[in-house]
Amino acid sequence: MDHISLPGEKISRIISAFDIPAEITSASPFGSGHINDTYRLTNEDLLGDDYLLQRINHHVFRDVPLLMNNLDIVTRHLKEKVASGKNVLTLIGTKAGKPYLQDEDGNYWRVFVFLKDTKSYDLVTSEKQAYEGGKAFGSFQALLSDLDIHLIKYTIPDFHNIEFRLNNFEKAIASDSCNRASSVEPEIAFIRQRAKAMSEILEMGKAGFLPLRIVHNDTKFNNVLLDSHDNAQCVIDLDTVMPGFAAYDFGDSVRTIINTAAEDEADTIRIGLNVPLFAAYTRGYLQEAQTFLTQAEVDSLIKGALLLPFIQSVRFLTDYLEGDVYFKIHSPGHNLQRTRAQHALVVKLEENLAALEGIIFETWQQYQ
Ligand code: ADP
Ligand code: GN1
Ligand code: MG
């Protein structure tokens, strides 16, 4: 065992509890997710499958058995519908026949087959990548559109509920447990100014104009794997697959695709809009989602594109105010830097909203 941040002996014991049909020679930290801890497990047989070990963050996902049950239902449904079950996450159970392991410290672990020769991008650089990502997330929603929504439970209630997020934000300001509120007054004001306008999707949903669907809820671009030719291979990170609105997924992808800089760019001057990437993503997404989207949902997509960076900024700033307890950070002030980057993106989106909406409608017309 090498490259591990947990003691080797401990991780070896965890790995050996799983029914992995291979000899594992190393476990290395992998990926850039903000929530779970991920390790790539290397197979001694270079031609055989590698595996991916994850410690599920049970402070974020409070009911891991419920989450794993969702995952099982979703992956089974996808495998039944996708030819040969290819391009769907495959879980490896424990030797005791369970889908996850709980260790003596109370941590939850699971293992997937590692999808070799794939890449996940934190930053999108080509129209091909954006188009392929759009197809992957559109087809993901389409494939789940006939699954009984009542089977899928909420792993994090109110995940994209803006009222709930704003309430938590106001509570964090009021308690100001880390004495940080006075140093972020401009960012607080930015959020308060826009709070009301951002509740449109929620209101449309409450009024029954938008159908609840099974959606992914965490469609940032690094949650789709592409192959070496940038063809989409698999949608991953299924922990937040829950009932929600189609516009949430569209908006979260756009948040990461259209931005000319990273989600946490410190130099906000570098944050701009890459409109051709947005157009390519929209083309891929609507190509697949046209089979089930209603006109009201299509009208809501642009609102999702504005809401998701906004709600993300509310969550980052709340976490900053609460002392960085939710998102992994890589430096002090990281959550504030992320907040500012999302605000810069919201401003750019606001300035260009009509043009972006025009692209969505033109693309939609082509598919009618
Ligand atoms: P997090 O919730 O922390 O974002 P993810 O499930 O997204 O966790 O996994 C983190 C990273 O690991 C992904 O961004 C991707 O690069 C990689 N990854 C996840 N699942 C697989 C897989 N089955 N095969 C190959 N790489 C994977
Ligand atoms: C988290 O797990 P990851 O890194 O794919 C978060 C998302 C945020 C994202 C911001 C369960 O996603 O909601 O949009 O960070 N996931 C959870 O980068 O909170
Ligand atoms: Mg992820």
Side-chain angles (χ1 to χ4, degrees):
M1 290 291 153
D2 50 4
H3 313 299
I4 48 170
S5 47
L6 275 176
E9 186 218 329
K10 195 165 198 170
I11 211 149
S12 287
R13 255 189 295 126
I14 289 160
I15 294 168
S16 65
F18 284 89
D19 198 13
I20 301 175
E23 207 47 58
I24 300 302
T25 55
S26 71
S28 341
F30 195 78
S32 55
H34 297 344
I35 303 294
N36 295 319
D37 294 332
T38 303
Y39 304 85
R40 179 178 181 163
L41 307 182
T42 312
N43 191 339
E44 185 187 43
D45 174 2
L46 295 180
L47 300 176
D49 279 329
D50 282 352
Y51 296 86
L52 195 99
L53 172 71
Q54 276 187 327
R55 176 164 60 177
I56 306 165
N57 185 332
H58 64 275
H59 302 291
V60 166
F61 298 105
R62 300 293 176 91
D63 190 339
V64 174
L66 174 146
L67 177 156
M68 294 303 287
N69 191 51
N70 274 1
L71 188 83
D72 181 51
I73 295 170
V74 167
T75 51
R76 268 174 210 268
H77 186 79
L78 294 174
K79 281 191 181 181
E80 271 167 25
K81 296 185 78 177
V82 176
S84 76
K86 204 178 141 256
N87 305 349
V88 181
L89 281 178
T90 301
L91 205 59
I92 301 287
T94 66
K95 287 176 179 156
K98 291 194 77 177
Y100 59 87
L101 173 79
Q102 190 172 22
D103 69 17
E104 61 276 17
D105 304 321
N107 289 311
Y108 292 87
W109 299 86
R110 67 180 169 207
V111 170
F112 291 111
V113 174
F114 186 88
L115 291 149
K116 265 193 179 163
D117 306 318
T118 61
K119 278 199 230 171
S120 70
Y121 294 92
D122 291 331
L123 206 60
V124 183
T125 51
S126 77
E127 288 180 38
K128 167 90 190 262
Q129 292 164 0
Y131 171 70
E132 285 289 317
K135 275 201 316 187
F137 284 123
S139 132
F140 184 83
Q141 288 184 343
L143 290 165
L144 293 177
S145 63
D146 64 346
L147 176 61
D148 180 359
I149 199 164
H150 301 104
L151 296 174
I152 301 302
K153 308 295 180 202
Y154 287 89
T155 56
I156 304 179
D158 294 311
F159 194 55
H160 289 314
N161 179 333
I162 186 65
E163 272 174 13
F164 170 79
R165 295 294 183 187
L166 287 167
N167 269 337
N168 286 351
F169 170 65
E170 291 297 340
K171 280 188 210 154
I173 298 169
S175 61
D176 197 16
S177 56
C178 298
N179 291 317
R180 289 177 171 178
S182 62
S183 65
V184 293
E185 277 168 10
E187 288 76 17
I188 292 175
F190 184 101
I191 289 173
R192 285 183 173 155
Q193 275 157 19
R194 288 160 177 82
K196 199 163 164 32
M198 294 289 178
S199 63
E200 267 186 279
I201 293 184
L202 190 64
E203 296 306 328
M204 284 172 79
K206 282 184 189 165
F209 295 131
L210 294 176
L212 264 185
R213 298 190 181 280
I214 300 170
V215 296
H216 185 285
N217 282 309
D218 186 4
T219 54
K220 72 174 169 184
F221 202 78
N222 70 13
N223 284 330
V224 60
L225 299 178
L226 307 182
D227 68 13
S228 55
H229 302 289
D230 281 340
N231 292 315
Q233 290 301 300
C234 188
V235 169
I236 59 165
D237 206 347
L238 306 181
D239 300 331
T240 50
V241 174
M242 285 181 282
F245 299 120
Y248 291 158
D249 280 3
F250 182 80
D252 206 25
S253 295
V254 168
R255 180 176 80 77
T256 46
I257 287 160
I258 201 168
N259 193 344
T260 51
E263 172 185 80
D264 60 349
E265 175 59 57
D267 180 5
T268 53
I269 299 294
R270 298 186 58 206
I271 294 173
L273 302 188
N274 190 325
V275 177
L277 295 187
F278 170 84
Y281 184 85
T282 302
R283 196 157 41 82
Y285 173 73
L286 288 179
Q287 183 183 317
E288 300 295 328
Q290 57 166 322
T291 52
F292 68 88
L293 284 182
T294 64
Q295 185 62 51
E297 284 177 298
V298 176
D299 295 344
S300 73
L301 295 179
I302 190 67
K303 302 184 203 307
L306 194 59
L307 173 66
L308 268 288
F310 178 76
I311 201 167
Q312 196 56 64
S313 80
V314 175
R315 294 175 61 198
F316 284 147
L317 193 54
T318 304
D319 198 29
Y320 180 69
L321 291 166
E322 290 178 341
D324 308 306
V325 291
Y326 185 94
F327 296 103
K328 285 183 192 169
I329 57 165
H330 304 301
S331 56
H334 199 176
N335 273 317
L336 178 56
Q337 184 177 317
R338 288 168 169 156
T339 305
R340 290 182 175 145
Q342 295 302 298
H343 285 176
L345 181 61
V346 167
V347 170
K348 293 283 177 195
L349 287 164
E350 285 171 343
E351 288 167 2
N352 293 278
L353 215 56
L356 299 176
E357 190 170 26
I359 292 171
I360 296 174
F361 288 140
E362 272 168 35
T363 314
W364 177 245
Q365 291 310 324
Q366 285 164 21
Y367 290 127
Q368 295 312 291

